[in-house]
C-alpha cells in the first residue's frame, strides 16, 4: 500500500511539474491569443498583488506603505512590474513543482532501500543510545553532589599545599585553585562518562554504507535531510519568491527585475537515486525541446 501511494505521488508530482512548466512557457509565448493573454495577465496580476499585500500585512507594513504601493503600481515602473509579476509567479510555481517531483522520486527509492523493520531497528538502537546517555548524565549529577559532599578534601589539599610551600601561599589564595582543579577533574570525568559507547555492529555499518551508495546519504541517521534540488542553484526559487514579496515595499525599477527563465537542470550523472536520476533526465529533455 505504501509503495502504491509513493508511486502515485511520483506520477502526480511529475505531471504537476510538467503542467507548471507548460503554463510558464505559454505565458511567455508570443503566439498566445490576445484575449487569453489579457485574461491571464489580469488574473495572475491580481493573484500576485494579493500575495504581496498579504505578506506585507503580516510583516506589519504601515497603511501609508499600502497607499504608496497602490500609487506605485499605476506608475510606469509599477506597470512594468505588474507585467513581469504574473510570469514570475508561474516560474516560481514551476520551480516548486519540480522540487516536489524530485522529493517524491527520492522517497520512492528510499522505500525500496529501507524497510519498516530496518526503521524500527534503527529507532530502537537510537532509544538505547539515548537511555545510555541519560544514565551517564545522572552520573554527572551524582559527581557534582559528591564534589559538594567531599568538600573537606579541598581543605586538606589546600592545607597540604600550604605546608609544602612553607607557608608562602595562603589558604585564601589556594582554595579557589583547589576548587577549580577538583571541579574540572569531576566535570571532565562526567563528560567522558556521558559519551555513548561506540557501536561496533558490522552489519549496521554495511547497511548504512549501502543506503548512502543508493540514496546519496543515510536517511535513517539524517531523517530531516532531503535530496539535492533539481537545479545547480538550489536557492533560485527562494530568491524569486523573496523578490516578489519585497517588491511591495522596495518598488523595484524595470532594470532590477530578474530575467525569467527555467533554471538549468543539474547533471544526474553522479546522482545515486535511480528515480531521481530519471526525473532529472526527463526535466533536461523537456527543457531541451522547449528551447528548440
Amino acid at each position: 500500500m505504501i509503495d502504491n501511494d509513493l508511486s502515485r505521488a511520483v506520477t502526480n508530482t511529475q505531471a504537476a511539474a510538467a503542467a507548471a512548466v507548460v503554463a510558464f512557457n505559454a505565458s511567455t509565448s508570443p503566439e498566445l491569443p490576445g484575449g487569453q493573454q489579457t485574461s491571464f495577465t489580469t488574473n495572475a496580476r491580481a493573484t500576485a498583488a494579493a500575495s504581496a499585500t498579504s505578506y506585507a500585512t503580516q510583516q506589519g507594513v504601515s497603511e501609508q506603505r499600502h497607499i504608496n504601493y497602490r500609487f506605485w503600481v499605476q506608475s510606469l515602473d509599477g506597470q512594468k512590474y505588474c507585467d513581469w509579476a504574473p510570469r514570475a509567479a508561474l516560474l516560481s510555481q514551476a520551480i516548486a513543482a519540480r522540487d516536489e517531483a524530485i522529493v517524491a522520486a527520492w522517497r520512492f527509492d528510499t522505500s525500496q532501500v529501507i524497510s519498516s523493520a530496518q526503521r524500527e531497528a534503527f529507532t530502537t538502537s537510537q532509544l538505547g543510545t539515548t537511555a545510555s546517555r541519560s544514565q551517564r548524565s545522572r552520573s554527572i549529577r551524582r559527581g557534582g553532589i559528591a564534589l559538594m559532599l567531599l568538600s573537606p578534601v579541598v581543605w586538606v589539599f589546600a592545607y597540604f599545599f600550604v605546608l609544602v610551600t612553607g607557608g608562602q601561599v595562603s589558604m585564601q589564595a589556594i582554595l579557589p585553585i583547589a576548587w577549580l582543579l577538583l571541579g574540572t577533574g569531576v566535570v571532565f570525568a562526567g563528560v567522558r562518562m556521558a559519551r555513548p559507547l561506540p557501536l561496533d555492529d558490522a552489519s549496521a555499518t554495511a547497511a548504512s554504507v549501502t543506503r548512502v551508495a543508493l540514496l546519496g546519504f543515510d536517511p535513517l541517521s539524517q531523517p530531516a535531510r532531503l535530496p539535492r534540488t533539481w537545479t545547480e542553484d538550489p536557492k533560485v526559487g527562494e530568491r524569486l519568491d523573496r523578490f516578489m514579496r519585497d517588491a511591495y515595499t522596495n518598488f523595484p525599477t524595470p532594470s532590477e527585475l530578474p530575467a525569467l527563465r527555467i533554471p538549468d537542470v543539474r547533471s544526474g550523472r553522479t546522482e545515486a537515486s535511480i528515480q531521481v536520476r530519471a526525473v532529472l533526465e526527463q526535466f533536461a529533455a523537456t527543457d531541451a525541446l522547449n528551447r528548440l
Side-chain angles (χ1 to χ4, degrees):
M1 179 64 71
I2 294 178
D3 284 353
N4 291 337
D5 291 342
L6 292 174
S7 179
R8 282 195 296 271
V10 171
T11 302
N12 293 340
T13 54
Q14 289 186 30
V21 171
V22 168
F24 169 73
N25 289 331
S27 73
T28 62
S29 174
E31 299 176 359
L32 196 65
Q36 187 177 350
Q37 177 70 41
T38 301
S39 176
F40 158 76
T41 302
T42 301
N43 294 335
R45 182 182 297 175
T47 300
S51 176
T53 302
S54 175
Y55 174 76
T57 301
Q58 293 174 4
Q59 298 300 311
V61 175
S62 66
E63 179 61 27
Q64 184 60 47
R65 273 291 189 176
H66 289 291
I67 296 174
N68 292 344
Y69 178 79
R70 287 192 288 270
F71 277 113
W72 175 72
V73 295
Q74 298 176 33
S75 68
L76 181 59
D77 285 357
Q79 286 298 310
K80 291 290 186 181
Y81 173 79
C82 289
D83 291 337
W84 172 90
R87 295 191 297 274
L90 287 176
L91 177 58
S92 175
Q93 293 169 14
I95 293 172
R98 282 190 167 183
D99 285 342
E100 292 178 3
I102 289 293
V103 172
W106 181 83
R107 283 176 174 162
F108 180 83
D109 260 3
T110 301
S111 70
Q112 306 304 302
V113 175
I114 304 175
S115 65
S116 57
Q118 287 175 315
R119 288 186 182 278
E120 183 177 355
F122 185 85
T123 301
T124 302
S125 174
Q126 288 295 99
L127 291 176
T129 302
T130 302
S132 177
R133 188 178 292 115
S134 177
Q135 182 178 0
R136 287 173 174 79
S137 178
R138 287 195 297 270
S139 298
I140 294 178
R141 294 194 297 270
R142 291 170 182 171
I145 295 174
L147 176 62
M148 299 302 296
L149 295 177
L150 297 178
S151 56
V153 174
V154 178
W155 289 87
V156 172
F157 174 79
Y159 180 71
F160 177 76
F161 191 84
V162 170
L163 291 179
V164 170
T165 58
Q168 296 180 359
V169 180
S170 65
M171 288 284 289
Q172 291 81 0
I174 197 58
L175 274 175
I177 299 177
W179 272 107
L180 179 62
L181 292 176
L182 185 59
T184 301
V186 172
V187 170
F188 178 77
V191 170
R192 294 285 297 180
M193 291 172 63
R195 292 180 180 177
L197 297 176
L199 299 177
D200 187 15
D201 189 341
S203 61
T205 302
S208 178
V209 171
T210 300
R211 290 190 290 269
V212 172
L214 296 177
L215 301 172
F217 59 93
D218 188 354
L220 291 183
S221 59
Q222 297 176 282
R225 182 174 173 180
L226 293 175
R228 287 180 59 194
T229 57
W230 59 276
T231 66
E232 291 292 352
D233 182 2
K235 299 293 186 180
V236 60
E238 181 181 331
R239 288 198 304 272
L240 181 60
D241 290 341
R242 186 185 306 114
F243 183 91
M244 287 189 290
R245 291 195 302 265
D246 293 346
Y248 194 91
T249 54
N250 291 344
F251 307 152
T253 63
S255 62
E256 294 174 330
L257 301 178
L260 300 178
R261 60 182 296 273
I262 297 292
D264 293 333
V265 180
R266 69 178 175 87
S267 173
R269 295 177 181 176
T270 60
E271 176 58 47
S273 168
I274 297 175
Q275 286 286 338
V276 172
R277 194 184 316 140
V279 174
L280 290 173
E281 292 173 354
Q282 178 187 353
F283 288 169
T286 298
D287 292 348
L289 287 175
N290 290 332
R291 294 190 183 104
L292 293 179

